[in-house]
Amino acid sequence: KEIEKKGENYYVSPEATFTTCDAPAAWCFRGKNIDAIAGDRLKARDVTFRISDKPVFYTPYLIAPITTERKTGLLIPSAGYSNQRGFNLALPFFWAITENRDATFILDEYTKRGIGEGIEYRYVEPGDIKGKFWLYHIRDNELKRDFVEIRMLHQQYSAEKIGGFLSLNLVNEKDYYREFNSAIDLSSNRFLESTGEIMIPFSNSRAYLMSQYWIDLKENTETPAQRLPEA
């Protein structure tokens, strides 16, 4: 309702609602004593995080970047608790390497299980090439075992030349998702699938070679029967 310009790109307001969401009223922050520098940062007090205008979280103070450019720095930490793993605190650090490449490093602590380390690397290249790579490791102090997860997705599609994709999903221990991932769609999976495809396009058809690899996540089972490559 009220906003005052104090200087070049510098604005203040006694109360305001702010969001980066394109969908109207999907989610927003509402706070008081707004102090904002356009293209830099925003500060506010007595802030509530709202979904469909219903408050779900409160913080007495908030500082947030309001820039359209990626910047290297710490991201918002996440915290949680479970009887199995204890208190959890994840500290992510974002590295804006270049305009088309970035990486996120994560330090993940579970009070009952140990400290995990993760890295996610993302890239976009000319020619409709894009991909991401994820590596995570944790030494479980309770089970005395090392858990490792590797995920990779590389996509390279073209209407004129050879293309394809490679999707890798690997774990060294079958119970990794039950122990360290609370996402129900992953922890309830029976199989973990990796897929790769090479494709040659033609004017009205295509030729391809595809291969898949499966990991059975159920305990005390042998390596599942694998499909032969498909052409």
Side-chain angles (χ1 to χ4, degrees):
K1 295 181 179 180
E2 179 182 339
I3 188 168
E4 180 182 356
K5 186 173 183 178
K6 291 279 192 177
E8 184 67 25
N9 297 327
Y10 179 32
Y11 303 88
V12 296
S13 176
E15 185 175 5
T17 297
F18 41 99
T19 182
T20 60
C21 183
D22 294 330
W27 65 265
C28 67
F29 290 94
R30 182 176 297 172
K32 300 178 180 179
N33 298 330
I34 311 299
D35 184 309
I37 301 176
D40 187 7
R41 58 100 182 113
L42 178 144
K43 296 179 181 179
R45 296 187 180 275
D46 295 330
V47 178
T48 55
F49 175 64
R50 294 169 174 260
I51 300 177
S52 298
D53 205 34
K54 295 180 175 59
V56 296
F57 178 78
Y58 169 82
T59 177
Y61 183 78
L62 176 72
I63 181 170
I66 49 173
T67 175
T68 57
E69 297 181 357
R70 300 171 306 145
K71 288 187 176 181
T72 297
L74 292 170
L75 301 179
I76 298 176
S78 62
Y81 176 80
S82 72
N83 293 330
Q84 183 182 9
R85 296 180 288 268
F87 286 100
N88 167 235
L89 178 64
L91 301 173
F93 178 82
F94 178 77
W95 181 21
I97 305 171
T98 61
E99 291 185 354
N100 63 321
R101 298 173 182 268
D102 60 49
T104 302
F105 302 88
I106 297 176
L107 191 63
D108 207 12
E109 181 180 7
Y110 296 92
T111 55
K112 291 185 178 181
R113 310 298 289 272
I115 297 177
E117 313 90 26
I119 178 174
E120 184 176 27
Y121 174 69
R122 294 166 294 269
Y123 57 91
V124 177
E125 299 289 347
D128 202 16
I129 300 173
K130 60 183 178 179
K132 56 185 177 180
F133 174 80
W134 165 257
L135 173 64
Y136 184 82
H137 164 265
I138 184 169
R139 172 64 180 177
D140 192 317
N141 296 328
E142 183 177 284
L143 300 178
K144 307 301 181 184
R145 292 154 57 194
D146 288 284
F147 288 84
V148 177
E149 179 191 28
I150 298 175
R151 297 200 309 266
M152 175 183 175
L153 177 62
H154 175 83
Q155 296 174 309
Q156 182 173 343
Y157 293 110
S158 173
E160 301 176 349
K161 55 185 179 180
I162 295 177
F165 74 92
L166 176 63
S167 174
L168 291 179
N169 296 280
L170 304 171
V171 292
N172 71 322
E173 297 285 353
K174 292 186 175 184
D175 55 346
Y176 169 81
Y177 292 110
R178 291 191 297 273
E179 295 290 342
F180 292 103
N181 197 309
S182 56
I184 188 65
D185 59 328
L186 292 174
S187 59
S188 62
N189 277 348
R190 170 66 189 272
F191 296 97
L192 195 60
E193 177 188 350
S194 296
T195 307
E197 178 183 281
I198 298 176
M199 182 263 295
I200 304 175
F202 299 102
S203 58
N204 59 353
S205 60
R206 72 182 187 120
Y208 72 92
L209 176 65
M210 183 180 70
S211 182
Q212 294 175 302
Y213 178 73
W214 299 81
I215 297 176
D216 191 342
L217 298 178
K218 186 178 180 180
E219 296 293 335
N220 302 319
T221 57
E222 297 181 357
T223 301
Q226 304 291 338
R227 293 182 59 177
L228 292 174
E230 175 182 314

